[in-house]
Amino acid sequence: MDGSARGPAQLVLTASVARRYYLDGRSKVEIAQEFALSRFKVARLLDDARNSGLVRIEIGHPGSVDVELSDRLMSTLGLQHCVVTDTPDDVPATMRAHLGTAAAELLTEIVTADDVLGLSWARSVSAMANALQRLAPVPVVQLTGALARPGVDDSSIDVVRDVARVAGGPAYFFYAPMAVPDAATAQALRRQPEVAQAFSRIGSVTRAVAGVGAWEPEQSTVYDATGEAERKELARSGVCAEISGILVDADGMPVRSNLTERMIGITADQMRAVPEVIAIVYGGAKVRAVLAAVRGGLVNSLVTHSTLAESLITAAGPG
């Protein structure tokens, strides 16, 4: 029945039946008895209410999560989990805080006592650690060394200890920088007992949380900590993104370099072996970097905001 053929009495009856069913939770049998209608007639009225637009069914969320966009991005990129918030994207600190809260809620929901949690340092991961209030009692493993930068108040060690404190599980951390001046020093540091103990746990990590950096100014803490000549050399080598200190090209393939040999942290092969790696990412400049991380199998779950999510869907294309 179309809208032009529906008189006021029919309109009121349809609305009343729809209200009983969708808002009051009454069954079709109960509604049929109340209005002296057949169940078939009640079903037709409910169909008419939906088809005419009198009733609109929307899947919503009471908070800031954009459920529909989360589902679209998860499907487009083939992700395990995806949380997209409707956070305004004009203030980076606000985005970090909102995404950190969303990531903390996701971890609280999906992490079980059977998991081992690995954490790489990133400002977004630090925001997640600050927002975390409850977590299953899991071991927490540091995946990257500390990166001292101006304006950074904490380190990978602080993040691991803070999350382990909330979880009530053991913390495996170490005191070492993310990058050192030469490969020989890096090899020596990896043999240090506390570093070796933490690295020996990487193979048991079942879920990890990381950031994704674009190889551009102010889009990666590793980029910003690297000298100008080395940045340019790596860019010429095809470096597009950095994930936990792992340098990759646009296809997500690791780019071997002198910097790689000087890093103290998880390797590309180790990260790909982690069943779920959740990246917390914000900023419109990181579209190519995120796609590279996903294509390379280094990231398979995302926590991000709506503007970046829409850009990722567009850039990924229909295929």
Side-chain angles (χ1 to χ4, degrees):
M1 180 182 296
D2 62 27
S4 61
R6 187 193 299 113
Q10 183 73 14
L11 182 64
V12 171
L13 175 62
T14 304
S16 299
V17 167
R19 177 176 291 276
R20 299 293 194 282
Y21 186 74
Y22 290 109
L23 298 183
D24 299 338
R26 304 279 292 280
S27 70
K28 292 176 184 177
V29 173
E30 291 173 326
I31 297 170
Q33 291 173 344
E34 178 183 352
F35 290 95
L37 301 170
S38 67
R39 280 180 290 176
F40 175 72
K41 176 67 172 177
V42 170
R44 280 180 50 193
L45 289 171
L46 291 172
D47 286 342
D48 180 47
R50 289 195 302 270
N51 294 336
S52 67
L54 185 64
V55 168
R56 289 176 297 179
I57 300 173
E58 296 180 356
I59 300 174
H61 186 280
S64 60
V65 176
D66 188 325
V67 178
E68 189 272 336
L69 189 51
S70 299
D71 181 65
R72 282 174 54 207
L73 183 57
M74 183 165 62
S75 176
T76 299
L77 298 186
L79 303 170
Q80 287 190 34
H81 290 99
C82 183
V83 178
V84 178
T85 72
D86 58 7
T87 308
D89 59 0
D90 52 346
V91 182
T94 301
M95 281 193 292
R96 275 198 301 272
H98 284 200
L99 295 180
T101 299
E105 291 174 352
L106 176 63
L107 278 192
T108 300
E109 178 183 0
I110 67 175
V111 169
T112 73
D114 294 327
D115 283 311
V116 176
L117 181 63
L119 299 177
S120 298
W121 190 88
R123 289 187 178 94
S124 55
V125 179
S126 178
M128 180 275 296
N130 291 334
L132 194 66
Q133 297 182 358
R134 184 168 50 88
L135 194 66
V138 295
V140 184
V141 181
Q142 181 176 334
L143 301 180
T144 57
L147 190 61
R149 295 292 301 154
V152 175
D153 298 326
D154 55 13
S155 69
S156 47
I157 301 164
D158 298 316
V159 169
V160 168
R161 289 195 296 198
D162 289 346
V163 172
R165 192 176 299 117
V166 173
Y172 297 96
F173 58 89
F174 55 88
Y175 293 89
M178 182 180 262
V180 294
D182 57 76
T185 302
Q187 291 173 3
L189 278 172
R190 294 187 195 108
R191 290 193 294 266
Q192 292 295 313
E194 62 178 11
V195 179
Q197 183 187 37
F199 279 19
S200 72
R201 300 275 174 171
I202 289 178
S204 65
V205 170
T206 57
R207 300 185 199 271
V209 187
V212 174
W215 200 246
E216 299 175 21
E218 300 183 2
Q219 299 299 323
S220 161
T221 49
V222 174
Y223 178 98
D224 292 339
T226 306
E228 182 64 27
E230 191 167 33
R231 293 173 188 167
K232 291 180 178 179
E233 179 187 344
L234 289 166
R236 285 193 297 269
S237 300
V239 172
C240 164
E242 167 264 316
I243 308 97
S244 302
I246 300 166
L247 306 176
V248 300
D249 62 19
D251 295 320
M253 299 302 295
V255 177
R256 300 294 298 181
S257 68
N258 176 266
L259 178 59
T260 304
E261 301 300 323
R262 297 188 283 109
M263 301 293 287
I264 309 294
I266 190 170
T267 67
D269 288 341
Q270 288 173 326
M271 181 160 275
R272 286 197 189 104
V274 177
E276 180 171 20
V277 179
I278 304 164
I280 311 170
V281 197
Y282 58 93
K286 293 187 177 179
V287 173
R288 290 181 68 237
V290 174
L291 292 179
V294 173
R295 287 168 182 153
L298 298 166
V299 167
N300 51 22
S301 290
L302 286 177
V303 177
T304 189
H305 56 101
S306 55
T307 306
L308 181 52
E310 292 279 12
S311 297
L312 286 167
I313 291 171
T314 300

